[in-house]
């Protein structure tokens, strides 16, 4: 039910770097516990599956995660940099029309919109042939697809030998209110 004992154990072991690689509920617990016991690891990394402001950072206590570093490929809806962004405005309009009561600080909606736009692209490429074979052919041959909710410079690419659609990311640091990007877009191995 909690990760408290694991966090205390890591601190007692003298760890000076912490990688929180878990789901949102336990990420929020980790951030809160690390702060509450006064542990200040030199580096605290958080996997991007758990960077939603609404489901992780707010429940943890936004001030408790200041300085945590993550990698991101999606635009963060809490970042003022995207206030007038065409892609995020498209997403906000979609949310206003179809999910008016949703929490717009929940990054899962941005993720879901991006995945849906990618699937829409695949299905359009299928034409009138929705056989499994053609859907797989289209899904494994995406080239430089721009998705409205992806960070600038990040594109969706797949191939018959590499199904990983996102191979680029940008580092970001939690400021206490939003994820602030730093450095350029980095790319992983194309294996």
């Amino acid at each position: 039910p909690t990760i408290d004992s694991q966090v205390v154990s890591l601190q007692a072991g003298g760890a000076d770097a912490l990688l929180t690689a878990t789901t949102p509920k336990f990420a929020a617990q980790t951030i809160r516990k690390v702060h509450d016991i006064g542990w200040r690891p030199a580096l605290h990394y958080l996997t991007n599956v758990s960077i939603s402001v609404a489901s992780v950072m707010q429940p943890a206590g936004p001030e408790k995660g200041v300085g945590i570093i993550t990698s991101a490929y999606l635009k963060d809806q809490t970042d003022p940099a995207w206030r007038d962004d065409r892609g995020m405005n498209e997403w906000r309009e979609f949310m206003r029309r179809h999910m008016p009561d949703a929490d717009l600080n929940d990054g899962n909606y941005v993720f879901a919109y991006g995945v849906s736009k990618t699937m829409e692209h695949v299905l359009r490429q299928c034409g009138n042939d929705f056989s499994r074979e053609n859907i797989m052919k289209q899904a494994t041959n995406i080239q430089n697809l721009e998705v409205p909710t992806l960070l600038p410079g990040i594109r969706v690419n797949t191939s018959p030998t590499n199904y990983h659609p996102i191979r680029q990311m940008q580092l970001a640091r939690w400021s206490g209110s939003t994820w602030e990007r730093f450095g350029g877009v980095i790319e992983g191995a194309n294996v």
Side-chain angles (χ1 to χ4, degrees), residues 82 105 144-145 150 152 175 186:
W82 309 121
N105 289 326
N144 294 315
L145 176 64
L150 290 178
S175 70
I186 54 178

Side-chain angles (χ1 to χ4, degrees), residues 74-87:
L74 292 168
K75 295 172 183 170
D76 174 10
Q77 65 285 4
T78 67
D79 185 341
W82 309 121
R83 183 176 299 120
D84 297 319
D85 180 73
R86 181 185 56 79

Side-chain angles (χ1 to χ4, degrees), residues 57-121:
M57 303 314 290
Q58 288 174 343
E63 73 288 353
K64 295 181 179 187
V66 172
I68 291 175
I69 296 172
T70 192
S71 60
Y73 56 91
L74 292 168
K75 295 172 183 170
D76 174 10
Q77 65 285 4
T78 67
D79 185 341
W82 309 121
R83 183 176 299 120
D84 297 319
D85 180 73
R86 181 185 56 79
M88 290 304 284
N89 285 339
E90 178 184 313
W91 171 76
R92 282 187 276 274
E93 178 58 22
F94 174 87
M95 294 298 290
R96 186 191 65 72
R97 281 194 329 253
H98 301 288
M99 301 183 73
D101 297 327
D103 181 353
L104 296 185
N105 289 326
D106 188 341
N108 293 305
Y109 292 118
V110 175
F111 170 78
Y113 188 79
V115 170
S116 298
K117 294 302 277 186
T118 304
M119 187 63 185
E120 177 184 20
H121 170 81

Side-chain angles (χ1 to χ4, degrees), residues 124-137:
R124 287 185 191 284
Q125 291 300 112
C126 285
N128 291 324
D129 179 0
F130 294 106
S131 65
R132 182 185 192 287
E133 179 182 36
N134 192 41
I135 290 172
M136 288 302 296
K137 178 182 175 187

